[in-house]
Amino acid sequence: MRMNSSEGSIENAAVSGLIAELARGIEIILALDDDEFGMAVEGRSSVGAHLRHDLDFVNAFLNGLAERRIDYNARARDARIERDRDHAIQEMAFACSRLRNLTPGLLASLVVVRSEVDEDLWHTSSASREIEFLHSHTVHHYALIAKLVAATGRRLDDEFGVAPSTLRYRESAGFYSGSSVNN
């Protein structure tokens, strides 16, 4: 984690990576129409539902960080985010803004995280480790979103929904990486 003295802002690869992934989510929302955004494929979740789920986790983290108690089970589950593209964009942009305002001290702090298996149990973690989790969780759901978008006849770039370690491997092995959203 590095402090950018000229702007007084934080430079943290994990935070920047998560913000970049949320920004990619906004790009996907902008590329789809309302039907494509809210359409459940084969009775499964829609693009909007996956983005809402990711945003719920990011907001649960941000909401619990000040008290150092993260409860991913206490999600808002705002169904409007799943259906209303403008609202989803607004909420994702707000989460990005909140992430940009994290301080180095807060990111370095220890936190407790409620267990999903035994809700009476709280695990010790750190804010920065939870950012890493959120990034991984988002990328995982983006892989699912890529399949849903493919059902609309569109193609996403080859890097969408792929873990950073896999992208580094592909680059070192000389594999091709694709372009952005195509119709």
Side-chain angles (χ1 to χ4, degrees), residues 45-83:
S45 293
S46 64
V47 170
H50 281 285
L51 291 171
R52 189 264 316 143
H53 176 80
D54 284 335
L55 188 58
D56 274 350
F57 270 73
V58 171
N59 284 327
F61 166 80
L62 290 166
N63 293 340
L65 191 55
E67 294 180 19
R68 315 282 196 286
R69 293 177 66 83
I70 314 292
D71 186 354
Y72 295 118
N73 302 336
R75 299 190 300 273
R77 293 178 171 92
D78 178 0
R80 185 173 165 208
I81 293 169
E82 298 181 27
R83 296 183 311 271

PDB file of all heavy atoms in Angstrom, residues 45-83:
ATOM      1  N   SER A  45     -30.029 -16.944 -12.465  1.00  0.00           N
ATOM      2  CA  SER A  45     -29.861 -15.522 -12.196  1.00  0.00           C
ATOM      3  C   SER A  45     -29.586 -14.721 -13.460  1.00  0.00           C
ATOM      4  O   SER A  45     -29.034 -15.218 -14.436  1.00  0.00           O
ATOM      5  CB  SER A  45     -28.696 -15.311 -11.224  1.00  0.00           C
ATOM      6  OG  SER A  45     -29.025 -15.832  -9.969  1.00  0.00           O
ATOM      7  N   SER A  46     -29.952 -13.452 -13.386  1.00  0.00           N
ATOM      8  CA  SER A  46     -29.707 -12.515 -14.472  1.00  0.00           C
ATOM      9  C   SER A  46     -28.367 -11.802 -14.255  1.00  0.00           C
ATOM     10  O   SER A  46     -27.762 -11.900 -13.178  1.00  0.00           O
ATOM     11  CB  SER A  46     -30.828 -11.471 -14.505  1.00  0.00           C
ATOM     12  OG  SER A  46     -30.795 -10.694 -13.306  1.00  0.00           O
ATOM     13  N   VAL A  47     -27.943 -11.063 -15.274  1.00  0.00           N
ATOM     14  CA  VAL A  47     -26.754 -10.223 -15.127  1.00  0.00           C
ATOM     15  C   VAL A  47     -26.973  -9.267 -13.956  1.00  0.00           C
ATOM     16  O   VAL A  47     -26.107  -9.109 -13.089  1.00  0.00           O
ATOM     17  CB  VAL A  47     -26.465  -9.443 -16.437  1.00  0.00           C
ATOM     18  CG1 VAL A  47     -25.378  -8.392 -16.221  1.00  0.00           C
ATOM     19  CG2 VAL A  47     -26.089 -10.399 -17.558  1.00  0.00           C
ATOM     20  N   GLY A  48     -28.142  -8.646 -13.917  1.00  0.00           N
ATOM     21  CA  GLY A  48     -28.448  -7.703 -12.833  1.00  0.00           C
ATOM     22  C   GLY A  48     -28.378  -8.348 -11.460  1.00  0.00           C
ATOM     23  O   GLY A  48     -27.895  -7.745 -10.501  1.00  0.00           O
ATOM     24  N   ALA A  49     -28.847  -9.593 -11.349  1.00  0.00           N
ATOM     25  CA  ALA A  49     -28.816 -10.286 -10.051  1.00  0.00           C
ATOM     26  C   ALA A  49     -27.375 -10.553  -9.610  1.00  0.00           C
ATOM     27  O   ALA A  49     -27.052 -10.397  -8.425  1.00  0.00           O
ATOM     28  CB  ALA A  49     -29.596 -11.599 -10.137  1.00  0.00           C
ATOM     29  N   HIS A  50     -26.513 -10.940 -10.547  1.00  0.00           N
ATOM     30  CA  HIS A  50     -25.114 -11.172 -10.183  1.00  0.00           C
ATOM     31  C   HIS A  50     -24.423  -9.869  -9.768  1.00  0.00           C
ATOM     32  O   HIS A  50     -23.670  -9.842  -8.789  1.00  0.00           O
ATOM     33  CB  HIS A  50     -24.349 -11.817 -11.345  1.00  0.00           C
ATOM     34  CG  HIS A  50     -24.601 -13.280 -11.475  1.00  0.00           C
ATOM     35  ND1 HIS A  50     -24.047 -14.206 -10.617  1.00  0.00           N
ATOM     36  CD2 HIS A  50     -25.362 -13.973 -12.351  1.00  0.00           C
ATOM     37  CE1 HIS A  50     -24.453 -15.412 -10.967  1.00  0.00           C
ATOM     38  NE2 HIS A  50     -25.251 -15.306 -12.018  1.00  0.00           N
ATOM     39  N   LEU A  51     -24.684  -8.799 -10.490  1.00  0.00           N
ATOM     40  CA  LEU A  51     -24.070  -7.515 -10.135  1.00  0.00           C
ATOM     41  C   LEU A  51     -24.589  -7.020  -8.789  1.00  0.00           C
ATOM     42  O   LEU A  51     -23.826  -6.491  -7.977  1.00  0.00           O
ATOM     43  CB  LEU A  51     -24.315  -6.482 -11.236  1.00  0.00           C
ATOM     44  CG  LEU A  51     -23.566  -6.760 -12.539  1.00  0.00           C
ATOM     45  CD1 LEU A  51     -24.042  -5.820 -13.636  1.00  0.00           C
ATOM     46  CD2 LEU A  51     -22.068  -6.659 -12.353  1.00  0.00           C
ATOM     47  N   ARG A  52     -25.883  -7.205  -8.546  1.00  0.00           N
ATOM     48  CA  ARG A  52     -26.444  -6.818  -7.246  1.00  0.00           C
ATOM     49  C   ARG A  52     -25.792  -7.615  -6.119  1.00  0.00           C
ATOM     50  O   ARG A  52     -25.426  -7.070  -5.080  1.00  0.00           O
ATOM     51  CB  ARG A  52     -27.966  -7.030  -7.256  1.00  0.00           C
ATOM     52  CG  ARG A  52     -28.698  -6.469  -6.050  1.00  0.00           C
ATOM     53  CD  ARG A  52     -28.972  -7.443  -4.927  1.00  0.00           C
ATOM     54  NE  ARG A  52     -29.453  -8.726  -5.374  1.00  0.00           N
ATOM     55  CZ  ARG A  52     -29.101  -9.873  -4.782  1.00  0.00           C
ATOM     56  NH1 ARG A  52     -28.278  -9.906  -3.744  1.00  0.00           N
ATOM     57  NH2 ARG A  52     -29.559 -11.018  -5.226  1.00  0.00           N
ATOM     58  N   HIS A  53     -25.613  -8.902  -6.343  1.00  0.00           N
ATOM     59  CA  HIS A  53     -24.985  -9.764  -5.340  1.00  0.00           C
ATOM     60  C   HIS A  53     -23.563  -9.277  -5.024  1.00  0.00           C
ATOM     61  O   HIS A  53     -23.192  -9.145  -3.855  1.00  0.00           O
ATOM     62  CB  HIS A  53     -24.972 -11.203  -5.852  1.00  0.00           C
ATOM     63  CG  HIS A  53     -24.265 -12.159  -4.967  1.00  0.00           C
ATOM     64  ND1 HIS A  53     -24.832 -12.695  -3.836  1.00  0.00           N
ATOM     65  CD2 HIS A  53     -23.014 -12.684  -5.053  1.00  0.00           C
ATOM     66  CE1 HIS A  53     -23.963 -13.515  -3.261  1.00  0.00           C
ATOM     67  NE2 HIS A  53     -22.849 -13.522  -3.978  1.00  0.00           N
ATOM     68  N   ASP A  54     -22.781  -9.012  -6.057  1.00  0.00           N
ATOM     69  CA  ASP A  54     -21.418  -8.493  -5.843  1.00  0.00           C
ATOM     70  C   ASP A  54     -21.446  -7.185  -5.074  1.00  0.00           C
ATOM     71  O   ASP A  54     -20.672  -6.986  -4.134  1.00  0.00           O
ATOM     72  CB  ASP A  54     -20.702  -8.267  -7.178  1.00  0.00           C
ATOM     73  CG  ASP A  54     -20.229  -9.556  -7.813  1.00  0.00           C
ATOM     74  OD1 ASP A  54     -20.006 -10.542  -7.090  1.00  0.00           O
ATOM     75  OD2 ASP A  54     -20.069  -9.561  -9.041  1.00  0.00           O
ATOM     76  N   LEU A  55     -22.323  -6.297  -5.482  1.00  0.00           N
ATOM     77  CA  LEU A  55     -22.431  -4.999  -4.819  1.00  0.00           C
ATOM     78  C   LEU A  55     -22.852  -5.155  -3.360  1.00  0.00           C
ATOM     79  O   LEU A  55     -22.358  -4.446  -2.481  1.00  0.00           O
ATOM     80  CB  LEU A  55     -23.415  -4.122  -5.583  1.00  0.00           C
ATOM     81  CG  LEU A  55     -23.520  -2.677  -5.159  1.00  0.00           C
ATOM     82  CD1 LEU A  55     -22.175  -1.966  -5.243  1.00  0.00           C
ATOM     83  CD2 LEU A  55     -24.556  -1.958  -6.027  1.00  0.00           C
ATOM     84  N   ASP A  56     -23.741  -6.106  -3.089  1.00  0.00           N
ATOM     85  CA  ASP A  56     -24.139  -6.382  -1.701  1.00  0.00           C
ATOM     86  C   ASP A  56     -22.933  -6.739  -0.839  1.00  0.00           C
ATOM     87  O   ASP A  56     -22.818  -6.290   0.300  1.00  0.00           O
ATOM     88  CB  ASP A  56     -25.141  -7.536  -1.643  1.00  0.00           C
ATOM     89  CG  ASP A  56     -26.573  -7.098  -1.827  1.00  0.00           C
ATOM     90  OD1 ASP A  56     -26.856  -5.891  -1.814  1.00  0.00           O
ATOM     91  OD2 ASP A  56     -27.428  -7.995  -1.980  1.00  0.00           O
ATOM     92  N   PHE A  57     -22.039  -7.553  -1.372  1.00  0.00           N
ATOM     93  CA  PHE A  57     -20.857  -7.953  -0.607  1.00  0.00           C
ATOM     94  C   PHE A  57     -19.929  -6.756  -0.373  1.00  0.00           C
ATOM     95  O   PHE A  57     -19.425  -6.571   0.726  1.00  0.00           O
ATOM     96  CB  PHE A  57     -20.117  -9.100  -1.312  1.00  0.00           C
ATOM     97  CG  PHE A  57     -20.599 -10.456  -0.894  1.00  0.00           C
ATOM     98  CD1 PHE A  57     -21.830 -10.940  -1.324  1.00  0.00           C
ATOM     99  CD2 PHE A  57     -19.831 -11.250  -0.061  1.00  0.00           C
ATOM    100  CE1 PHE A  57     -22.275 -12.186  -0.933  1.00  0.00           C
ATOM    101  CE2 PHE A  57     -20.271 -12.509   0.340  1.00  0.00           C
ATOM    102  CZ  PHE A  57     -21.495 -12.974  -0.101  1.00  0.00           C
ATOM    103  N   VAL A  58     -19.722  -5.957  -1.409  1.00  0.00           N
ATOM    104  CA  VAL A  58     -18.866  -4.771  -1.262  1.00  0.00           C
ATOM    105  C   VAL A  58     -19.465  -3.830  -0.223  1.00  0.00           C
ATOM    106  O   VAL A  58     -18.752  -3.332   0.668  1.00  0.00           O
ATOM    107  CB  VAL A  58     -18.673  -4.056  -2.616  1.00  0.00           C
ATOM    108  CG1 VAL A  58     -17.971  -2.713  -2.430  1.00  0.00           C
ATOM    109  CG2 VAL A  58     -17.885  -4.937  -3.582  1.00  0.00           C
ATOM    110  N   ASN A  59     -20.758  -3.609  -0.284  1.00  0.00           N
ATOM    111  CA  ASN A  59     -21.397  -2.704   0.679  1.00  0.00           C
ATOM    112  C   ASN A  59     -21.398  -3.275   2.093  1.00  0.00           C
ATOM    113  O   ASN A  59     -21.232  -2.529   3.064  1.00  0.00           O
ATOM    114  CB  ASN A  59     -22.806  -2.349   0.227  1.00  0.00           C
ATOM    115  CG  ASN A  59     -22.806  -1.334  -0.888  1.00  0.00           C
ATOM    116  OD1 ASN A  59     -21.933  -0.465  -0.953  1.00  0.00           O
ATOM    117  ND2 ASN A  59     -23.768  -1.434  -1.776  1.00  0.00           N
ATOM    118  N   ALA A  60     -21.556  -4.583   2.232  1.00  0.00           N
ATOM    119  CA  ALA A  60     -21.484  -5.189   3.568  1.00  0.00           C
ATOM    120  C   ALA A  60     -20.103  -4.957   4.166  1.00  0.00           C
ATOM    121  O   ALA A  60     -19.963  -4.652   5.357  1.00  0.00           O
ATOM    122  CB  ALA A  60     -21.810  -6.681   3.504  1.00  0.00           C
ATOM    123  N   PHE A  61     -19.077  -5.098   3.335  1.00  0.00           N
ATOM    124  CA  PHE A  61     -17.708  -4.812   3.779  1.00  0.00           C
ATOM    125  C   PHE A  61     -17.583  -3.348   4.204  1.00  0.00           C
ATOM    126  O   PHE A  61     -17.122  -3.048   5.313  1.00  0.00           O
ATOM    127  CB  PHE A  61     -16.718  -5.132   2.659  1.00  0.00           C
ATOM    128  CG  PHE A  61     -15.340  -4.576   2.889  1.00  0.00           C
ATOM    129  CD1 PHE A  61     -14.454  -5.220   3.739  1.00  0.00           C
ATOM    130  CD2 PHE A  61     -14.930  -3.407   2.262  1.00  0.00           C
ATOM    131  CE1 PHE A  61     -13.185  -4.704   3.959  1.00  0.00           C
ATOM    132  CE2 PHE A  61     -13.664  -2.891   2.473  1.00  0.00           C
ATOM    133  CZ  PHE A  61     -12.791  -3.537   3.330  1.00  0.00           C
ATOM    134  N   LEU A  62     -17.976  -2.445   3.328  1.00  0.00           N
ATOM    135  CA  LEU A  62     -17.833  -1.015   3.619  1.00  0.00           C
ATOM    136  C   LEU A  62     -18.660  -0.599   4.838  1.00  0.00           C
ATOM    137  O   LEU A  62     -18.205   0.205   5.647  1.00  0.00           O
ATOM    138  CB  LEU A  62     -18.240  -0.191   2.389  1.00  0.00           C
ATOM    139  CG  LEU A  62     -17.281  -0.283   1.204  1.00  0.00           C
ATOM    140  CD1 LEU A  62     -17.935   0.264  -0.060  1.00  0.00           C
ATOM    141  CD2 LEU A  62     -15.979   0.438   1.511  1.00  0.00           C
ATOM    142  N   ASN A  63     -19.851  -1.151   4.978  1.00  0.00           N
ATOM    143  CA  ASN A  63     -20.713  -0.799   6.107  1.00  0.00           C
ATOM    144  C   ASN A  63     -20.170  -1.301   7.434  1.00  0.00           C
ATOM    145  O   ASN A  63     -20.389  -0.676   8.466  1.00  0.00           O
ATOM    146  CB  ASN A  63     -22.128  -1.330   5.881  1.00  0.00           C
ATOM    147  CG  ASN A  63     -22.819  -0.649   4.723  1.00  0.00           C
ATOM    148  OD1 ASN A  63     -22.450   0.445   4.299  1.00  0.00           O
ATOM    149  ND2 ASN A  63     -23.832  -1.311   4.181  1.00  0.00           N
ATOM    150  N   GLY A  64     -19.464  -2.420   7.418  1.00  0.00           N
ATOM    151  CA  GLY A  64     -18.950  -2.978   8.665  1.00  0.00           C
ATOM    152  C   GLY A  64     -17.540  -2.543   9.015  1.00  0.00           C
ATOM    153  O   GLY A  64     -17.075  -2.750  10.140  1.00  0.00           O
ATOM    154  N   LEU A  65     -16.856  -1.919   8.067  1.00  0.00           N
ATOM    155  CA  LEU A  65     -15.439  -1.625   8.256  1.00  0.00           C
ATOM    156  C   LEU A  65     -15.161  -0.662   9.402  1.00  0.00           C
ATOM    157  O   LEU A  65     -14.216  -0.866  10.169  1.00  0.00           O
ATOM    158  CB  LEU A  65     -14.844  -1.085   6.950  1.00  0.00           C
ATOM    159  CG  LEU A  65     -13.336  -0.973   6.894  1.00  0.00           C
ATOM    160  CD1 LEU A  65     -12.663  -2.301   7.226  1.00  0.00           C
ATOM    161  CD2 LEU A  65     -12.901  -0.483   5.517  1.00  0.00           C
ATOM    162  N   ALA A  66     -15.965   0.359   9.565  1.00  0.00           N
ATOM    163  CA  ALA A  66     -15.724   1.337  10.628  1.00  0.00           C
ATOM    164  C   ALA A  66     -15.735   0.685  12.004  1.00  0.00           C
ATOM    165  O   ALA A  66     -14.953   1.061  12.880  1.00  0.00           O
ATOM    166  CB  ALA A  66     -16.756   2.462  10.571  1.00  0.00           C
ATOM    167  N   GLU A  67     -16.602  -0.306  12.188  1.00  0.00           N
ATOM    168  CA  GLU A  67     -16.679  -1.015  13.473  1.00  0.00           C
ATOM    169  C   GLU A  67     -15.813  -2.266  13.487  1.00  0.00           C
ATOM    170  O   GLU A  67     -15.780  -2.986  14.485  1.00  0.00           O
ATOM    171  CB  GLU A  67     -18.136  -1.371  13.772  1.00  0.00           C
ATOM    172  CG  GLU A  67     -18.982  -0.138  14.003  1.00  0.00           C
ATOM    173  CD  GLU A  67     -20.425  -0.487  14.298  1.00  0.00           C
ATOM    174  OE1 GLU A  67     -20.704  -1.643  14.681  1.00  0.00           O
ATOM    175  OE2 GLU A  67     -21.268   0.404  14.135  1.00  0.00           O
ATOM    176  N   ARG A  68     -15.139  -2.528  12.370  1.00  0.00           N
ATOM    177  CA  ARG A  68     -14.250  -3.688  12.224  1.00  0.00           C
ATOM    178  C   ARG A  68     -15.007  -5.008  12.388  1.00  0.00           C
ATOM    179  O   ARG A  68     -14.466  -6.006  12.820  1.00  0.00           O
ATOM    180  CB  ARG A  68     -13.074  -3.645  13.215  1.00  0.00           C
ATOM    181  CG  ARG A  68     -12.339  -2.335  13.388  1.00  0.00           C
ATOM    182  CD  ARG A  68     -11.382  -2.045  12.270  1.00  0.00           C
ATOM    183  NE  ARG A  68     -10.388  -1.024  12.511  1.00  0.00           N
ATOM    184  CZ  ARG A  68     -10.587   0.284  12.549  1.00  0.00           C
ATOM    185  NH1 ARG A  68     -11.796   0.765  12.449  1.00  0.00           N
ATOM    186  NH2 ARG A  68      -9.589   1.130  12.695  1.00  0.00           N
ATOM    187  N   ARG A  69     -16.292  -5.018  12.005  1.00  0.00           N
ATOM    188  CA  ARG A  69     -17.154  -6.207  12.071  1.00  0.00           C
ATOM    189  C   ARG A  69     -17.869  -6.353  10.730  1.00  0.00           C
ATOM    190  O   ARG A  69     -18.831  -5.634  10.467  1.00  0.00           O
ATOM    191  CB  ARG A  69     -18.181  -6.100  13.200  1.00  0.00           C
ATOM    192  CG  ARG A  69     -17.554  -6.137  14.584  1.00  0.00           C
ATOM    193  CD  ARG A  69     -18.596  -5.966  15.686  1.00  0.00           C
ATOM    194  NE  ARG A  69     -19.538  -7.073  15.754  1.00  0.00           N
ATOM    195  CZ  ARG A  69     -19.310  -8.225  16.384  1.00  0.00           C
ATOM    196  NH1 ARG A  69     -18.164  -8.427  17.002  1.00  0.00           N
ATOM    197  NH2 ARG A  69     -20.231  -9.168  16.413  1.00  0.00           N
ATOM    198  N   ILE A  70     -17.386  -7.274   9.913  1.00  0.00           N
ATOM    199  CA  ILE A  70     -17.927  -7.464   8.575  1.00  0.00           C
ATOM    200  C   ILE A  70     -18.921  -8.626   8.610  1.00  0.00           C
ATOM    201  O   ILE A  70     -18.579  -9.731   9.019  1.00  0.00           O
ATOM    202  CB  ILE A  70     -16.808  -7.804   7.554  1.00  0.00           C
ATOM    203  CG1 ILE A  70     -15.596  -6.891   7.693  1.00  0.00           C
ATOM    204  CG2 ILE A  70     -17.371  -7.867   6.138  1.00  0.00           C
ATOM    205  CD1 ILE A  70     -15.786  -5.471   7.320  1.00  0.00           C
ATOM    206  N   ASP A  71     -20.128  -8.351   8.180  1.00  0.00           N
ATOM    207  CA  ASP A  71     -21.169  -9.383   8.157  1.00  0.00           C
ATOM    208  C   ASP A  71     -21.734  -9.476   6.741  1.00  0.00           C
ATOM    209  O   ASP A  71     -22.649  -8.747   6.375  1.00  0.00           O
ATOM    210  CB  ASP A  71     -22.271  -9.040   9.155  1.00  0.00           C
ATOM    211  CG  ASP A  71     -23.303 -10.139   9.296  1.00  0.00           C
ATOM    212  OD1 ASP A  71     -23.244 -11.139   8.536  1.00  0.00           O
ATOM    213  OD2 ASP A  71     -24.186 -10.003  10.166  1.00  0.00           O
ATOM    214  N   TYR A  72     -21.166 -10.378   5.943  1.00  0.00           N
ATOM    215  CA  TYR A  72     -21.619 -10.547   4.567  1.00  0.00           C
ATOM    216  C   TYR A  72     -23.020 -11.155   4.497  1.00  0.00           C
ATOM    217  O   TYR A  72     -23.656 -11.111   3.454  1.00  0.00           O
ATOM    218  CB  TYR A  72     -20.636 -11.411   3.768  1.00  0.00           C
ATOM    219  CG  TYR A  72     -19.284 -10.775   3.598  1.00  0.00           C
ATOM    220  CD1 TYR A  72     -18.141 -11.373   4.115  1.00  0.00           C
ATOM    221  CD2 TYR A  72     -19.126  -9.566   2.918  1.00  0.00           C
ATOM    222  CE1 TYR A  72     -16.884 -10.804   3.957  1.00  0.00           C
ATOM    223  CE2 TYR A  72     -17.885  -8.979   2.753  1.00  0.00           C
ATOM    224  CZ  TYR A  72     -16.764  -9.606   3.273  1.00  0.00           C
ATOM    225  OH  TYR A  72     -15.532  -9.036   3.120  1.00  0.00           O
ATOM    226  N   ASN A  73     -23.492 -11.723   5.604  1.00  0.00           N
ATOM    227  CA  ASN A  73     -24.843 -12.272   5.644  1.00  0.00           C
ATOM    228  C   ASN A  73     -25.894 -11.166   5.719  1.00  0.00           C
ATOM    229  O   ASN A  73     -27.050 -11.393   5.377  1.00  0.00           O
ATOM    230  CB  ASN A  73     -25.014 -13.218   6.827  1.00  0.00           C
ATOM    231  CG  ASN A  73     -24.033 -14.366   6.791  1.00  0.00           C
ATOM    232  OD1 ASN A  73     -23.532 -14.735   5.739  1.00  0.00           O
ATOM    233  ND2 ASN A  73     -23.733 -14.922   7.945  1.00  0.00           N
ATOM    234  N   ALA A  74     -25.506  -9.984   6.185  1.00  0.00           N
ATOM    235  CA  ALA A  74     -26.423  -8.851   6.342  1.00  0.00           C
ATOM    236  C   ALA A  74     -26.397  -8.001   5.071  1.00  0.00           C
ATOM    237  O   ALA A  74     -25.933  -6.870   5.065  1.00  0.00           O
ATOM    238  CB  ALA A  74     -26.035  -8.029   7.566  1.00  0.00           C
ATOM    239  N   ARG A  75     -26.907  -8.576   3.999  1.00  0.00           N
ATOM    240  CA  ARG A  75     -26.901  -7.884   2.712  1.00  0.00           C
ATOM    241  C   ARG A  75     -28.252  -7.226   2.472  1.00  0.00           C
ATOM    242  O   ARG A  75     -29.290  -7.738   2.873  1.00  0.00           O
ATOM    243  CB  ARG A  75     -26.581  -8.871   1.590  1.00  0.00           C
ATOM    244  CG  ARG A  75     -25.210  -9.509   1.764  1.00  0.00           C
ATOM    245  CD  ARG A  75     -24.774 -10.298   0.561  1.00  0.00           C
ATOM    246  NE  ARG A  75     -25.625 -11.403   0.166  1.00  0.00           N
ATOM    247  CZ  ARG A  75     -25.533 -12.635   0.656  1.00  0.00           C
ATOM    248  NH1 ARG A  75     -24.645 -12.920   1.585  1.00  0.00           N
ATOM    249  NH2 ARG A  75     -26.322 -13.591   0.204  1.00  0.00           N
ATOM    250  N   ALA A  76     -28.231  -6.107   1.760  1.00  0.00           N
ATOM    251  CA  ALA A  76     -29.460  -5.349   1.484  1.00  0.00           C
ATOM    252  C   ALA A  76     -30.372  -6.084   0.497  1.00  0.00           C
ATOM    253  O   ALA A  76     -31.591  -6.013   0.601  1.00  0.00           O
ATOM    254  CB  ALA A  76     -29.109  -3.973   0.942  1.00  0.00           C
ATOM    255  N   ARG A  77     -29.798  -6.753  -0.477  1.00  0.00           N
ATOM    256  CA  ARG A  77     -30.558  -7.478  -1.501  1.00  0.00           C
ATOM    257  C   ARG A  77     -31.607  -6.575  -2.167  1.00  0.00           C
ATOM    258  O   ARG A  77     -32.774  -6.942  -2.315  1.00  0.00           O
ATOM    259  CB  ARG A  77     -31.200  -8.734  -0.919  1.00  0.00           C
ATOM    260  CG  ARG A  77     -30.180  -9.773  -0.506  1.00  0.00           C
ATOM    261  CD  ARG A  77     -30.854 -11.005   0.124  1.00  0.00           C
ATOM    262  NE  ARG A  77     -29.923 -12.084   0.331  1.00  0.00           N
ATOM    263  CZ  ARG A  77     -29.235 -12.277   1.465  1.00  0.00           C
ATOM    264  NH1 ARG A  77     -29.394 -11.453   2.483  1.00  0.00           N
ATOM    265  NH2 ARG A  77     -28.406 -13.289   1.573  1.00  0.00           N
ATOM    266  N   ASP A  78     -31.163  -5.399  -2.577  1.00  0.00           N
ATOM    267  CA  ASP A  78     -32.025  -4.409  -3.220  1.00  0.00           C
ATOM    268  C   ASP A  78     -32.375  -4.877  -4.630  1.00  0.00           C
ATOM    269  O   ASP A  78     -31.585  -4.744  -5.562  1.00  0.00           O
ATOM    270  CB  ASP A  78     -31.300  -3.054  -3.254  1.00  0.00           C
ATOM    271  CG  ASP A  78     -32.077  -1.952  -3.935  1.00  0.00           C
ATOM    272  OD1 ASP A  78     -33.210  -2.191  -4.406  1.00  0.00           O
ATOM    273  OD2 ASP A  78     -31.534  -0.823  -4.005  1.00  0.00           O
ATOM    274  N   ALA A  79     -33.583  -5.422  -4.793  1.00  0.00           N
ATOM    275  CA  ALA A  79     -34.005  -5.976  -6.085  1.00  0.00           C
ATOM    276  C   ALA A  79     -34.049  -4.911  -7.179  1.00  0.00           C
ATOM    277  O   ALA A  79     -33.946  -5.242  -8.365  1.00  0.00           O
ATOM    278  CB  ALA A  79     -35.365  -6.646  -5.942  1.00  0.00           C
ATOM    279  N   ARG A  80     -34.159  -3.661  -6.813  1.00  0.00           N
ATOM    280  CA  ARG A  80     -34.172  -2.591  -7.821  1.00  0.00           C
ATOM    281  C   ARG A  80     -32.862  -2.570  -8.626  1.00  0.00           C
ATOM    282  O   ARG A  80     -32.869  -2.280  -9.816  1.00  0.00           O
ATOM    283  CB  ARG A  80     -34.420  -1.246  -7.142  1.00  0.00           C
ATOM    284  CG  ARG A  80     -34.566  -0.119  -8.106  1.00  0.00           C
ATOM    285  CD  ARG A  80     -34.978   1.164  -7.411  1.00  0.00           C
ATOM    286  NE  ARG A  80     -34.764   2.272  -8.312  1.00  0.00           N
ATOM    287  CZ  ARG A  80     -34.503   3.497  -7.933  1.00  0.00           C
ATOM    288  NH1 ARG A  80     -34.468   3.799  -6.643  1.00  0.00           N
ATOM    289  NH2 ARG A  80     -34.301   4.444  -8.812  1.00  0.00           N
ATOM    290  N   ILE A  81     -31.752  -2.925  -7.966  1.00  0.00           N
ATOM    291  CA  ILE A  81     -30.454  -2.975  -8.647  1.00  0.00           C
ATOM    292  C   ILE A  81     -30.474  -4.028  -9.746  1.00  0.00           C
ATOM    293  O   ILE A  81     -29.825  -3.873 -10.776  1.00  0.00           O
ATOM    294  CB  ILE A  81     -29.311  -3.225  -7.632  1.00  0.00           C
ATOM    295  CG1 ILE A  81     -29.170  -2.018  -6.704  1.00  0.00           C
ATOM    296  CG2 ILE A  81     -27.996  -3.539  -8.338  1.00  0.00           C
ATOM    297  CD1 ILE A  81     -28.262  -2.248  -5.522  1.00  0.00           C
ATOM    298  N   GLU A  82     -31.248  -5.079  -9.564  1.00  0.00           N
ATOM    299  CA  GLU A  82     -31.330  -6.164 -10.547  1.00  0.00           C
ATOM    300  C   GLU A  82     -32.127  -5.783 -11.786  1.00  0.00           C
ATOM    301  O   GLU A  82     -31.969  -6.407 -12.834  1.00  0.00           O
ATOM    302  CB  GLU A  82     -31.978  -7.398  -9.919  1.00  0.00           C
ATOM    303  CG  GLU A  82     -31.213  -7.970  -8.766  1.00  0.00           C
ATOM    304  CD  GLU A  82     -31.875  -9.199  -8.179  1.00  0.00           C
ATOM    305  OE1 GLU A  82     -32.605  -9.910  -8.909  1.00  0.00           O
ATOM    306  OE2 GLU A  82     -31.667  -9.456  -6.982  1.00  0.00           O
ATOM    307  N   ARG A  83     -33.008  -4.793 -11.657  1.00  0.00           N
ATOM    308  CA  ARG A  83     -33.924  -4.455 -12.752  1.00  0.00           C
ATOM    309  C   ARG A  83     -33.674  -3.086 -13.371  1.00  0.00           C
ATOM    310  O   ARG A  83     -33.980  -2.872 -14.543  1.00  0.00           O
ATOM    311  CB  ARG A  83     -35.365  -4.476 -12.232  1.00  0.00           C
ATOM    312  CG  ARG A  83     -35.851  -5.809 -11.766  1.00  0.00           C
ATOM    313  CD  ARG A  83     -37.314  -5.746 -11.349  1.00  0.00           C
ATOM    314  NE  ARG A  83     -37.632  -4.654 -10.440  1.00  0.00           N
ATOM    315  CZ  ARG A  83     -37.567  -4.725  -9.113  1.00  0.00           C
ATOM    316  NH1 ARG A  83     -37.171  -5.829  -8.540  1.00  0.00           N
ATOM    317  NH2 ARG A  83     -37.888  -3.693  -8.362  1.00  0.00           N
TER     318      ARG A  83
END
